Amino acid sequence: MTEKTPTLSDWTALADSEVKGRDLTWQTPEGIAVKPLYSAADTENIDPGMPGFAPYTRGVKASMYAGRPWTIRQYAGFSTAEESNAFYRRNLAAGQKGLSIAFDLATHRGYDSDHPRVVGDVGKAGVAIDTLADMKILFDGIPLDTMSVSMTMNGAVLPCLAFYIVAAEEQGVSQDRLSGTIQNDILKEFMVRNTYIYPPEPSMRIVADIIAYTSEHMPRFNSISISGYHMHEAGATAVQELAFTLADGMAYVRAAQERGLDIDAFAGRLSFFFGIGMNFFMEVAKLRAARTLWSKIIAGFGGNARSQMLRTHCQTSGVSLTEQDPYNNVIRTTIEAMAATFGGTQSLHTNSLDEAVALPTDFSARIARNTQLILAEETGMTNVVDPLGGSYYVEALTKALADEAWALIEEVEGLGGMVHAVESGMPKQRIEEAAAAKQAAVDKGDAVIVGVNKYRLGEEADMDTLDIDNAKVRADQIRRLEQTRAERDEGQAQAALKAITLGAKHAPLSARPEPVEGPSAQGLRQAQPERDLGDAQPGGIETNLLALCVEAARARCTLGEMSAAMEAAFGRYDTVPVPVTGIYGKAYEGDADFARIVDAVAAIADRRGRPPRVMIAKLGQDGHDRGANVVASAFADMGFDIVPGPLFQTPEEARDLALARDVDAIGCSSLAAGHMTLIPELIRLLKDADRADIKVFAGGVIPPKDYAALRKAGVTGIYGPGTNIVEAAADLLQLMGHNLPPKKESAE
């Protein structure tokens, strides 16, 4: 007798009996309900098309990796140009296929290494580039006519790209032979990463200038890499990362079209950059949905099929790496790399196991690179195009993610587009809310991080990490700066700088309505001197800022000088964070430990007339503010009086604000290795002001080997990656001399 084929109803009955009717549906952070089983019914109205054809859901090339594997493009840079060059050459010899340059924070923010604001930042989180000489050394022995180069640069994008063009020129390589990508994605900086220099309007003008220049002179070079990666790292959900990234892309397309450029003249050289986290199938679906939506968007702008291709670089998540039990990071990176390749990325960076606390060593970088080599060479995954295509779950998830992202894009469009949305603060607030919710889930144990909040080791083993001698690097950079200034034709250099300022003042800026006010205006401060715009196209004046910076690079002007020449016209942009509230605390409703902190803070407020006042400080040029914002949000929900410090403070500025606001403690957030210079200096300044009573604590990416020196300098508490914020708050209160009330029973 033939058995009946099981139906979906049969499965439902059997599953219910196994789990006793418990609902197995999973609600993702994106708000997507994921069922435990998918079937043909979930995909009957979905047609993902074919690889190589619009809308490119299944891949931008018909053959994908069966024709050619993805490019292994490891992001790296540290210390001096000489050190980074040697590192690149070793990696290229070991199988890496493209370069991705990481610049230090002083370079990102448009400062030369001798500027007093960057004492603790030079060479610490990337390579220091001040002069054309630095850039020439960086690529010494690396043929720029055959090597594809990606540069993660947004703030000081013009001098860095100009140095690259002229370095290639003096290597004998013309501009039309250069291939690679410049990130040039400034809108994302105003939301999450904060390595901006100028206000949004002139920053968008710079983006358009680069698109226009490269369209004319650099046909093989991608003029922009629209980045969701840094949103991902700041805590964005997959929907937010996808929607805000594509909405940024729409803003750049409009900026180029306003300059009179034809969509098909530049859209084919726009590229993207996404972060890849641990929700494997969501990340696969994200890349597929991104291609689908971008095809739809560019078709709406009138672009042809080639212009509709979304090509992307991906990087495995840095925020998923843990300081605790760090060899687990090798596994995490492998899973994330597989998600990127199953999703159809064109190139990939895999993070090193030690990057939760420091720059990678040669040992860890080799493991990260070999992860990709093994996936490409040993698994057989490159033999089939879109191997997950047709999966009921993947296809349904791709559509659900695309639909949710499109709804958010339409919300952005309702604000007048991404430039207005950024000015309103909406994207930044949404991302910070998602980050606070994720941190609360981790701290409570609802989201499991193996080795951090579950299966934790009793004792952590020491791990060797790379250390950069910041003082030595800065001294070396200053010597090269002095040499450059001494050997150049000073009259020619000053003329080139004046031309930049003149071009910046005269070039037209897009006329737009007043910014939309929003719920999180971020306390923005825009220092914009009056601009004499003059005629739209003044006779005899070059107004393309990249063209002007190329001439300045030839004249041996420095990066800081070029940036200052534009700042004279545009001003420098600054911001004060506004922590979101109510998100972290809501997740802890009924939790006894959280209530204990709240009660303790309330008791202090009753006794002293105000709650404990804590300043959250970001010292130096590190704009990565996820950790600082999450801590500020969580502490505010516990009842602390939070004083958010402006980004990019010097120790002197932090001291002055702390004294003016009469704070009890200062929390210094460090993600870019400046802590060993900047935090001890702040403590010294507080002592000199007779306020040694102000407790200073530190958190973020701080290698354990630095803890002893920081404690010796006077740091009260150190809270590294993976710290439970509720536990940190309890510890801080006790360090401040406040006793906690006895534990209550949980309301649950």
Side-chain angles (χ1 to χ4, degrees), residues 350-363:
T350 34
N351 285 328
S352 299
L353 66 96
D354 47 2
E355 289 187 69
V357 292
L359 291 168
T361 62
D362 279 357
F363 169 76

Side-chain angles (χ1 to χ4, degrees), residues 95-227:
Q96 185 172 312
K97 299 300 182 184
L99 291 180
S100 183
I101 313 301
F103 297 95
D104 75 352
L105 290 167
T107 303
H108 275 289
R109 294 271 292 145
Y111 293 116
D112 286 333
S113 294
D114 58 357
H115 197 284
R117 297 195 74 89
V118 300
V119 172
D121 296 304
V122 177
K124 293 295 283 187
V127 60
I129 297 293
D130 299 315
T131 62
L132 176 63
D134 290 330
M135 192 68 83
K136 291 175 71 173
I137 292 168
L138 189 68
F139 294 117
D140 182 45
I142 298 172
L144 293 178
D145 55 342
T146 60
M147 180 57 59
S148 172
V149 175
S150 172
M151 290 179 280
T152 299
M153 176 54 65
N154 302 283
V157 61
L158 289 168
C160 282
L161 185 51
F163 284 155
Y164 168 70
I165 289 168
V166 178
E169 188 178 275
E170 298 191 2
Q171 202 184 83
V173 180
S174 60
Q175 296 180 32
D176 63 329
R177 296 161 65 195
L178 294 173
S179 64
T181 304
I182 188 79
Q183 190 162 102
N184 191 27
D185 176 12
I186 199 63
L187 286 176
K188 163 262 303 176
E189 299 297 326
F190 293 109
M191 284 185 270
V192 289
R193 192 162 170 259
N194 301 309
T195 61
Y196 43 71
I197 301 175
Y198 315 110
E201 192 173 356
S203 295
M204 287 296 290
R205 179 267 181 97
I206 289 169
V207 172
D209 277 3
I210 291 172
I211 293 173
Y213 185 96
T214 54
S215 293
E216 181 179 354
H217 300 288
M218 304 169 71
R220 299 173 58 197
F221 197 82
N222 297 320
S223 55
I224 191 167
S225 174
I226 306 157
S227 174

Side-chain angles (χ1 to χ4, degrees), residues 460-507:
E460 298 284 347
D462 291 337
M463 181 174 61
D464 290 334
T465 55
L466 182 66
D467 188 39
I468 303 297
D469 187 341
N470 164 244
K472 181 180 184 304
V473 173
R474 187 166 186 263
D476 290 344
Q477 289 300 117
I478 290 173
R479 278 194 291 272
R480 191 171 293 147
L481 275 164
E482 292 171 345
Q483 182 179 357
T484 291
R485 290 170 181 147
E487 294 177 352
R488 71 189 182 186
D489 181 325
E490 191 61 26
Q492 185 181 8
Q494 292 304 318
L497 294 172
K498 288 179 182 178
I500 290 174
T501 301
L502 186 63
K505 286 182 176 180
H506 280 82

Side-chain angles (χ1 to χ4, degrees), residues 216-284:
E216 181 179 354
H217 300 288
M218 304 169 71
R220 299 173 58 197
F221 197 82
N222 297 320
S223 55
I224 191 167
S225 174
I226 306 157
S227 174
Y229 176 82
H230 299 100
M231 300 181 205
H232 173 97
E233 293 296 275
T237 67
V239 167
Q240 291 169 345
E241 181 187 359
L242 183 53
F244 292 150
T245 303
L246 297 183
D248 280 350
M250 294 167 71
Y252 298 134
V253 169
R254 287 172 177 140
Q257 287 186 322
E258 287 173 3
R259 300 291 294 273
L261 295 176
D262 179 78
I263 183 72
D264 295 325
F266 66 88
R269 287 192 306 281
L270 303 179
S271 65
F272 287 80
F273 175 26
F274 287 103
I276 304 296
M278 283 297 289
N279 187 349
F280 181 86
F281 291 104
M282 183 67 77
E283 299 298 345
V284 173

